[in-house]
Amino acid sequence: MVIEINQQQPPQEVGLSRIAVSETHGEDSPYFAGWKAYDENPYDESKNPSGVIQMGLAENQVSFDLLEKFLEQHCEASSWGSKISAFRENALFQDYHGLQSFRKAMASFMEQIRGGRANFDPDRVVLTAGATAANELLTFILADPGDALLVPTPYYPGFDRDLRWRTGVKIVPIHCDSSSHFQITPQALEDAYNNAESMNIKVRGVLITNPSNPLGLTIQRSVLENLLDFVTSKNIHLVSDEIYSGSVFSSSEFVSVAEILQARNYKDSERVHIVYSLSKDLGLPGFRVGTIYSYNDKVVTTARRMSSFTLISSETQHLLASMLSDIEFTQIYIQTNRERLRKRYEMIIEGLRKAGIECLAGNAGLFCWMNLSPLLETPTREGELSLWNSILGEVKLNISPGLSCHCSEPGWFRVCFANMSEQTLEIALKRIQEFMGRRRSQHGETVFGNSSFFGALKNRKQKRKKSFLKLEDHY
């Protein structure tokens, strides 16, 4: 029986919640618009060779073969076999603490990727359905609607959704720029805090990504030390999103906030919380596995209670507990994955350099921070959007413009390189090189040489900052 709804008369509008009608989701950002353009015309080597190549997705596919090989050799990890009792055990009700075997394996894996320089207690590991859920859950716990978190720019575009949309919490930017390689300076911290106070906004914490998304760069030990001193002096929290900690090209180049706390004998540790997931380092975003690790007992207790809204299936935990408990496998995986990511990074950097494009020197992640400011017709938001539209429409590459990351300097773009084959990356680089060649032909010898490139960068810097500061109105 088909139910027909008579819509001849315009229906009376039914009210919805403030969350439902809120515009803070951020889906109108070019970051998401680029994804839509890719979905409508996706590149395929044989079926659609002129389609859009997705370089806006930070996904790690370079070591997926190692995971597949493990599962082939350990069928029991992904199937129940004759162990019907194991099926019953995992299919029936599980509380929100999660499987003890998985929490123990996660804690061990987190120690491994930090080179054993930090220790993690499995009883403090809170499981969530990905890092998105972990960051939102922590925001609910640490702040009330109308309060703010300080977040250094440029930052992951999804934070506008994850931290603000349902929580009602504000983001106050910590403005970082190329003069300090986008590292967080003490002055930038103080300026952001004072800015919030001037608007009568209560600051509840600082949230960082280490390694940084979108910079692909680790945070220096001295900066982490200063951050801990800062949040202690202000009596606020520090959230360290470390989901790319196993994607640093060399383990020695990454310093976790956990290491700093351990060196300080955990003084003032109750204000520190770490977010981790298996989406990036292990390349399993579809499994939706995230964790909160807090040194605060009340936060751990509350996070466990709230995690009942964002659980991980017992079958997923069973499989991953088996995988992560195999120390021989995880050691080989971590080492091989780091090396493959480093080689892929070098490949894209060299390809861009041949096109006359420079990038911020990086050492981690699944992307590079590309500087196209010399190509801007005007050093403004509009100039950056115009260039981005040209690259998306003409070159058929989806890259993420810096304005979607709230960068205060126009002309920077995040470019992902680990979510495709080397062959596809070569095609993408060829498209960029041809695009740059056409630009040179159209405009003659411009600012693409070494000295002129950096000269243009210096000359435009102040104009860029002024034109983009107005974009940071998140309050």
Coordinates of all heavy atoms in Angstrom, one line a residue, residues 183-254:
Q183 N 54.8 27.2 13.7 CA 54.9 26.7 15.0 C 54.2 27.6 16.0 O 54.1 28.8 15.7 CB 56.4 26.5 15.5 CG 57.1 25.3 14.7 CD 56.7 23.9 15.3 OE1 56.3 23.8 16.4 NE2 57.0 22.9 14.5
I184 N 53.8 27.1 17.1 CA 53.0 27.9 18.1 C 54.0 28.7 18.9 O 54.8 28.2 19.7 CB 52.1 27.0 19.0 CG1 51.3 26.1 18.1 CG2 51.3 27.9 19.9 CD1 50.7 24.9 18.9
T185 N 53.9 30.0 18.9 CA 54.8 30.9 19.7 C 54.1 31.3 21.0 O 52.8 31.4 21.0 CB 55.2 32.1 18.9 OG1 54.0 32.9 18.7 CG2 55.8 31.8 17.6
P186 N 54.9 31.6 22.0 CA 54.3 32.1 23.3 C 53.4 33.4 23.1 O 52.3 33.5 23.7 CB 55.5 32.4 24.1 CG 56.6 31.5 23.6 CD 56.3 31.5 22.1
Q187 N 53.8 34.3 22.2 CA 53.0 35.5 21.9 C 51.7 35.2 21.3 O 50.7 35.7 21.6 CB 53.8 36.4 21.0 CG 53.2 37.8 20.9 CD 53.0 38.5 22.2 OE1 54.0 38.7 22.9 NE2 51.8 38.9 22.5
A188 N 51.7 34.2 20.3 CA 50.5 33.8 19.7 C 49.5 33.2 20.7 O 48.3 33.5 20.6 CB 50.7 32.8 18.5
L189 N 50.0 32.4 21.6 CA 49.1 31.8 22.7 C 48.5 32.9 23.5 O 47.3 32.9 23.8 CB 50.0 30.9 23.6 CG 50.2 29.5 23.1 CD1 51.2 28.8 24.0 CD2 48.8 28.7 23.2
E190 N 49.3 33.9 24.0 CA 48.8 34.9 24.8 C 47.8 35.8 24.1 O 46.8 36.2 24.6 CB 50.0 35.8 25.3 CG 50.8 35.1 26.4 CD 50.1 34.9 27.7 OE1 49.0 35.5 27.9 OE2 50.7 34.2 28.5
D191 N 48.1 36.1 22.8 CA 47.2 36.9 22.0 C 45.8 36.2 21.9 O 44.8 36.9 22.0 CB 47.8 37.2 20.6 CG 49.0 38.1 20.7 OD1 49.2 38.8 21.7 OD2 49.7 38.2 19.7
A192 N 45.8 34.9 21.6 CA 44.6 34.2 21.4 C 43.8 34.2 22.7 O 42.5 34.4 22.7 CB 44.8 32.8 21.0
Y193 N 44.5 34.0 23.8 CA 43.8 33.9 25.1 C 43.2 35.3 25.5 O 42.0 35.4 25.9 CB 44.8 33.5 26.2 CG 44.1 33.2 27.6 CD1 43.6 32.0 27.9 CD2 44.0 34.2 28.5 CE1 43.0 31.7 29.1 CE2 43.4 34.0 29.8 CZ 42.9 32.7 30.0 OH 42.3 32.5 31.3
N194 N 44.0 36.3 25.3 CA 43.5 37.7 25.5 C 42.4 38.1 24.6 O 41.5 38.8 25.0 CB 44.7 38.7 25.4 CG 45.7 38.5 26.5 OD1 45.5 38.0 27.5 ND2 47.0 38.9 26.2
N195 N 42.4 37.6 23.4 CA 41.3 37.9 22.4 C 40.0 37.3 22.9 O 39.0 38.0 22.9 CB 41.7 37.3 21.1 CG 40.7 37.7 20.0 OD1 40.0 38.7 20.1 ND2 40.6 36.9 19.0
A196 N 40.1 36.1 23.4 CA 38.9 35.5 24.0 C 38.4 36.2 25.2 O 37.1 36.5 25.3 CB 39.2 34.0 24.3
E197 N 39.3 36.6 26.1 CA 38.9 37.3 27.3 C 38.2 38.7 26.9 O 37.3 39.1 27.6 CB 40.1 37.6 28.2 CG 40.5 36.4 29.0 CD 41.3 36.8 30.2 OE1 42.1 37.7 30.1 OE2 41.1 36.2 31.3
S198 N 38.7 39.3 25.9 CA 38.2 40.6 25.5 C 36.7 40.5 25.0 O 36.0 41.5 25.0 CB 39.0 41.3 24.4 OG 38.9 40.5 23.2
M199 N 36.4 39.3 24.6 CA 35.0 39.1 24.1 C 34.2 38.4 25.2 O 33.1 37.8 24.9 CB 35.0 38.2 22.8 CG 35.6 39.0 21.6 SD 35.6 38.0 20.1 CE 36.8 36.7 20.5
N200 N 34.7 38.3 26.4 CA 34.0 37.6 27.5 C 33.8 36.2 27.3 O 32.7 35.6 27.6 CB 32.7 38.4 27.9 CG 33.0 39.8 28.4 OD1 33.9 40.0 29.2 ND2 32.2 40.7 27.9
I201 N 34.7 35.5 26.6 CA 34.6 34.1 26.3 C 35.5 33.3 27.2 O 36.7 33.7 27.3 CB 34.9 33.8 24.8 CG1 34.0 34.5 23.9 CG2 34.9 32.3 24.6 CD1 34.3 34.3 22.4
K202 N 35.0 32.4 27.9 CA 35.8 31.6 28.8 C 36.6 30.5 28.1 O 36.0 29.7 27.4 CB 34.9 30.9 29.9 CG 35.7 30.2 31.0 CD 34.7 29.7 32.1 CE 35.5 29.1 33.3 NZ 34.6 28.7 34.3
V203 N 37.9 30.5 28.2 CA 38.7 29.5 27.6 C 38.9 28.3 28.5 O 39.2 28.4 29.7 CB 40.1 30.1 27.3 CG1 41.0 29.0 26.7 CG2 40.0 31.3 26.3
R204 N 38.6 27.1 28.0 CA 38.6 25.9 28.7 C 39.8 25.1 28.4 O 40.2 24.1 29.2 CB 37.4 25.1 28.5 CG 36.1 25.7 29.2 CD 36.3 25.8 30.7 NE 35.0 26.2 31.3 CZ 34.3 25.4 32.1 NH1 34.7 24.2 32.3 NH2 33.1 25.8 32.6
G205 N 40.5 25.3 27.3 CA 41.6 24.5 26.9 C 42.3 24.9 25.6 O 41.7 25.7 24.9
V206 N 43.4 24.2 25.3 CA 44.1 24.3 24.0 C 44.0 23.0 23.4 O 44.3 21.9 24.1 CB 45.5 24.8 24.2 CG1 46.3 24.8 22.9 CG2 45.6 26.1 24.9
L207 N 43.7 22.9 22.1 CA 43.7 21.7 21.4 C 44.7 21.7 20.2 O 44.7 22.7 19.4 CB 42.3 21.3 20.8 CG 42.2 19.9 20.1 CD1 40.8 19.3 20.4 CD2 42.5 20.0 18.6
I208 N 45.7 20.8 20.2 CA 46.7 20.8 19.2 C 46.6 19.4 18.4 O 46.1 18.4 18.9 CB 48.1 20.9 19.8 CG1 48.4 19.8 20.8 CG2 48.2 22.3 20.4 CD1 49.8 19.8 21.3
T209 N 47.2 19.4 17.2 CA 47.4 18.1 16.5 C 48.9 18.0 16.4 O 49.6 18.9 15.9 CB 46.7 18.1 15.1 OG1 47.2 19.2 14.3 CG2 45.2 18.2 15.2
N210 N 49.4 16.8 16.8 CA 50.8 16.6 16.8 C 51.1 15.1 16.4 O 50.7 14.2 17.2 CB 51.5 16.9 18.2 CG 53.0 16.7 18.2 OD1 53.6 16.8 17.2 ND2 53.5 16.3 19.3
P211 N 51.6 14.9 15.2 CA 52.0 15.8 14.1 C 50.8 16.6 13.6 O 49.6 16.2 13.7 CB 52.5 14.9 13.0 CG 52.9 13.7 13.7 CD 51.9 13.5 14.8
S212 N 51.1 17.8 13.0 CA 50.0 18.7 12.6 C 49.3 18.2 11.3 O 50.0 17.8 10.4 CB 50.6 20.1 12.4 OG 49.7 20.9 11.7
N213 N 48.0 18.3 11.3 CA 47.2 18.3 10.1 C 46.6 19.7 10.0 O 45.9 20.1 10.9 CB 46.1 17.3 10.3 CG 45.1 17.2 9.1 OD1 45.4 17.8 8.1 ND2 44.0 16.5 9.3
P214 N 47.1 20.5 9.0 CA 47.5 20.0 7.6 C 49.0 20.2 7.3 O 49.4 20.0 6.2 CB 46.7 21.0 6.8 CG 46.8 22.3 7.5 CD 46.6 21.9 9.0
L215 N 49.8 20.6 8.3 CA 51.2 20.9 8.0 C 52.1 19.7 7.7 O 53.1 19.9 7.0 CB 51.8 21.7 9.2 CG 51.1 23.0 9.6 CD1 51.8 23.6 10.8 CD2 51.1 24.0 8.4
G216 N 51.8 18.6 8.2 CA 52.7 17.4 8.1 C 54.0 17.6 8.8 O 55.0 17.2 8.3
L217 N 53.9 18.2 10.0 CA 55.1 18.6 10.8 C 54.9 18.3 12.2 O 53.8 18.6 12.8 CB 55.3 20.1 10.5 CG 56.6 20.7 11.1 CD1 57.9 20.0 10.4 CD2 56.6 22.2 10.9
T218 N 55.9 17.7 12.9 CA 55.8 17.5 14.3 C 56.0 18.8 15.1 O 56.7 19.7 14.6 CB 56.8 16.4 14.8 OG1 58.1 16.9 14.4 CG2 56.5 15.1 14.2
I219 N 55.5 18.8 16.3 CA 55.7 20.0 17.2 C 57.0 19.8 18.0 O 57.2 18.7 18.6 CB 54.5 20.2 18.1 CG1 53.2 20.4 17.3 CG2 54.7 21.3 19.1 CD1 52.0 20.6 18.1
Q220 N 57.8 20.8 18.1 CA 59.0 20.7 18.8 C 58.8 20.5 20.3 O 57.9 21.0 20.9 CB 59.9 22.0 18.5 CG 60.2 22.2 17.0 CD 60.8 23.5 16.7 OE1 60.9 24.3 17.6 NE2 61.1 23.8 15.5
R221 N 59.8 19.9 20.9 CA 59.8 19.6 22.4 C 59.6 21.0 23.1 O 58.8 21.0 24.1 CB 61.0 18.9 22.8 CG 61.0 18.6 24.3 CD 62.3 17.9 24.8 NE 62.3 16.6 24.3 CZ 61.8 15.5 25.0 NH1 61.3 15.7 26.2 NH2 61.9 14.3 24.5
S222 N 60.4 22.0 22.8 CA 60.3 23.2 23.5 C 58.9 23.9 23.4 O 58.5 24.5 24.3 CB 61.4 24.2 22.9 OG 61.1 24.4 21.5
V223 N 58.3 23.7 22.3 CA 56.9 24.2 22.1 C 55.9 23.5 23.0 O 55.1 24.1 23.6 CB 56.5 24.1 20.6 CG1 55.0 24.6 20.5 CG2 57.4 25.0 19.7
L224 N 56.1 22.2 23.1 CA 55.2 21.4 24.0 C 55.5 21.8 25.4 O 54.5 21.8 26.2 CB 55.5 19.9 23.8 CG 55.1 19.3 22.5 CD1 55.6 17.8 22.3 CD2 53.5 19.3 22.3
E225 N 56.7 22.0 25.8 CA 57.0 22.4 27.2 C 56.3 23.7 27.5 O 55.7 23.9 28.5 CB 58.5 22.6 27.3 CG 59.4 21.3 27.2 CD 59.5 20.6 28.5 OE1 58.8 20.9 29.5 OE2 60.3 19.6 28.5
N226 N 56.4 24.7 26.5 CA 55.8 26.0 26.7 C 54.2 25.8 26.8 O 53.6 26.5 27.6 CB 56.1 26.9 25.6 CG 55.5 28.3 25.7 OD1 55.9 29.0 26.6 ND2 54.6 28.6 24.8
L227 N 53.7 24.9 26.0 CA 52.2 24.7 26.0 C 51.8 24.2 27.4 O 50.8 24.7 27.9 CB 51.8 23.7 24.9 CG 51.6 24.3 23.5 CD1 51.5 23.2 22.5 CD2 50.3 25.1 23.5
L228 N 52.5 23.3 27.9 CA 52.2 22.7 29.3 C 52.3 23.8 30.3 O 51.4 23.9 31.2 CB 53.1 21.6 29.6 CG 52.6 20.2 29.1 CD1 53.7 19.1 29.3 CD2 51.3 19.8 29.7
D229 N 53.3 24.6 30.2 CA 53.4 25.7 31.2 C 52.3 26.7 31.1 O 51.8 27.2 32.0 CB 54.8 26.5 31.0 CG 56.0 25.6 31.3 OD1 55.8 24.6 32.1 OD2 57.1 25.9 30.9
F230 N 51.9 27.0 29.8 CA 50.8 27.9 29.5 C 49.5 27.5 30.1 O 48.8 28.2 30.8 CB 50.7 28.2 28.0 CG 49.6 29.1 27.6 CD1 49.7 30.5 27.7 CD2 48.4 28.6 27.2 CE1 48.7 31.3 27.3 CE2 47.3 29.4 26.8 CZ 47.5 30.8 26.9
V231 N 49.1 26.2 29.8 CA 47.8 25.7 30.3 C 47.8 25.6 31.8 O 46.8 25.8 32.4 CB 47.4 24.4 29.6 CG1 47.3 24.6 28.1 CG2 48.4 23.3 29.9
T232 N 49.0 25.3 32.4 CA 49.0 25.3 33.8 C 48.9 26.6 34.5 O 48.1 26.8 35.4 CB 50.4 24.7 34.3 OG1 50.5 23.3 33.7 CG2 50.5 24.6 35.8
S233 N 49.5 27.6 33.9 CA 49.4 29.0 34.4 C 48.0 29.5 34.3 O 47.5 30.3 35.1 CB 50.4 29.9 33.7 OG 50.0 30.1 32.3
K234 N 47.2 29.1 33.2 CA 45.9 29.6 33.0 C 44.8 28.7 33.7 O 43.6 29.0 33.6 CB 45.6 29.7 31.5 CG 46.5 30.6 30.7 CD 46.5 32.0 31.2 CE 47.4 32.9 30.3 NZ 47.4 34.3 30.7
N235 N 45.3 27.5 34.2 CA 44.4 26.5 34.8 C 43.4 26.0 33.8 O 42.2 26.0 34.1 CB 43.8 27.1 36.1 CG 43.1 26.0 36.9 OD1 43.6 24.8 36.9 ND2 42.1 26.3 37.6
I236 N 43.8 25.6 32.6 CA 43.0 25.1 31.6 C 43.5 23.8 31.1 O 44.6 23.3 31.6 CB 42.8 26.1 30.4 CG1 44.2 26.4 29.8 CG2 42.1 27.4 30.9 CD1 44.1 27.3 28.6
H237 N 42.9 23.1 30.2 CA 43.2 21.8 29.7 C 44.1 21.9 28.4 O 44.1 22.9 27.7 CB 42.0 21.0 29.4 CG 41.1 20.7 30.6 ND1 41.3 19.6 31.4 CD2 40.1 21.4 31.1 CE1 40.4 19.6 32.4 NE2 39.7 20.7 32.2
L238 N 44.8 20.7 28.2 CA 45.5 20.6 26.9 C 45.1 19.2 26.3 O 45.2 18.2 26.9 CB 47.0 20.6 27.2 CG 47.9 20.3 25.9 CD1 47.7 21.3 24.8 CD2 49.4 20.1 26.3
V239 N 44.5 19.3 25.1 CA 44.2 18.1 24.3 C 45.2 18.0 23.2 O 45.4 18.9 22.4 CB 42.7 18.2 23.8 CG1 42.4 17.0 22.9 CG2 41.7 18.4 24.9
S240 N 45.9 16.8 23.2 CA 46.8 16.6 22.1 C 46.3 15.5 21.2 O 46.3 14.3 21.6 CB 48.2 16.2 22.7 OG 49.2 16.0 21.7
D241 N 45.9 15.8 20.0 CA 45.4 14.9 19.0 C 46.7 14.3 18.3 O 47.3 15.0 17.5 CB 44.5 15.6 18.0 CG 43.9 14.7 17.0 OD1 44.6 13.7 16.6 OD2 42.8 14.9 16.5
E242 N 47.0 13.0 18.6 CA 48.2 12.4 18.1 C 47.9 11.3 17.1 O 48.6 10.3 17.1 CB 49.1 12.0 19.2 CG 49.5 13.1 20.2 CD 50.4 12.8 21.3 OE1 50.8 11.6 21.4 OE2 50.8 13.7 22.1
I243 N 46.9 11.5 16.3 CA 46.5 10.4 15.4 C 47.5 10.1 14.3 O 47.4 9.0 13.6 CB 45.1 10.6 14.8 CG1 45.1 11.8 13.9 CG2 44.0 10.8 15.9 CD1 43.7 12.0 13.1
Y244 N 48.5 11.0 14.0 CA 49.5 10.7 13.0 C 50.8 10.4 13.7 O 51.9 10.4 13.0 CB 49.6 11.9 12.1 CG 48.5 12.2 11.3 CD1 47.5 13.2 11.6 CD2 48.3 11.5 10.1 CE1 46.4 13.4 10.8 CE2 47.2 11.8 9.2 CZ 46.2 12.8 9.6 OH 45.1 13.0 8.8
S245 N 50.8 10.0 15.0 CA 52.1 9.8 15.7 C 52.9 8.6 15.1 O 54.1 8.6 15.2 CB 51.8 9.6 17.2 OG 50.9 8.6 17.4
G246 N 52.2 7.6 14.5 CA 52.9 6.5 13.9 C 53.2 6.7 12.4 O 53.8 5.9 11.8
S247 N 52.9 7.9 11.9 CA 53.1 8.3 10.5 C 54.2 9.3 10.4 O 54.3 10.0 9.4 CB 51.8 8.8 9.9 OG 50.8 7.8 9.9
V248 N 55.0 9.4 11.5 CA 56.2 10.2 11.4 C 57.3 9.4 10.7 O 57.5 8.2 11.0 CB 56.7 10.6 12.8 CG1 57.9 11.6 12.8 CG2 55.6 11.3 13.6
F249 N 58.0 10.1 9.8 CA 59.0 9.3 8.9 C 60.1 8.7 9.7 O 60.7 7.7 9.3 CB 59.5 10.2 7.8 CG 58.4 10.9 7.0 CD1 58.6 12.2 6.5 CD2 57.2 10.3 6.9 CE1 57.6 12.8 5.8 CE2 56.2 11.0 6.1 CZ 56.4 12.2 5.6
S250 N 60.4 9.4 10.9 CA 61.5 8.8 11.8 C 60.9 8.9 13.2 O 60.5 10.0 13.6 CB 62.8 9.6 11.6 OG 63.7 9.2 12.6
S251 N 60.9 7.8 13.9 CA 60.4 7.8 15.3 C 61.0 8.9 16.2 O 60.4 9.5 17.0 CB 60.5 6.4 15.9 OG 60.1 6.4 17.3
S252 N 62.3 9.1 16.0 CA 63.0 10.0 16.9 C 62.6 11.5 16.7 O 62.9 12.3 17.5 CB 64.5 9.9 16.6 OG 64.8 10.3 15.3
E253 N 61.9 11.8 15.6 CA 61.5 13.1 15.3 C 60.2 13.5 16.0 O 59.7 14.7 15.9 CB 61.4 13.4 13.8 CG 62.7 13.2 13.1 CD 62.6 13.5 11.6 OE1 61.7 14.3 11.2 OE2 63.3 13.0 10.8
F254 N 59.5 12.5 16.6 CA 58.2 12.8 17.2 C 58.3 12.8 18.8 O 58.9 11.9 19.3 CB 57.2 11.8 16.8 CG 55.9 11.9 17.6 CD1 55.0 13.0 17.4 CD2 55.5 10.9 18.5 CE1 53.9 13.1 18.1 CE2 54.3 11.1 19.2 CZ 53.5 12.2 19.0

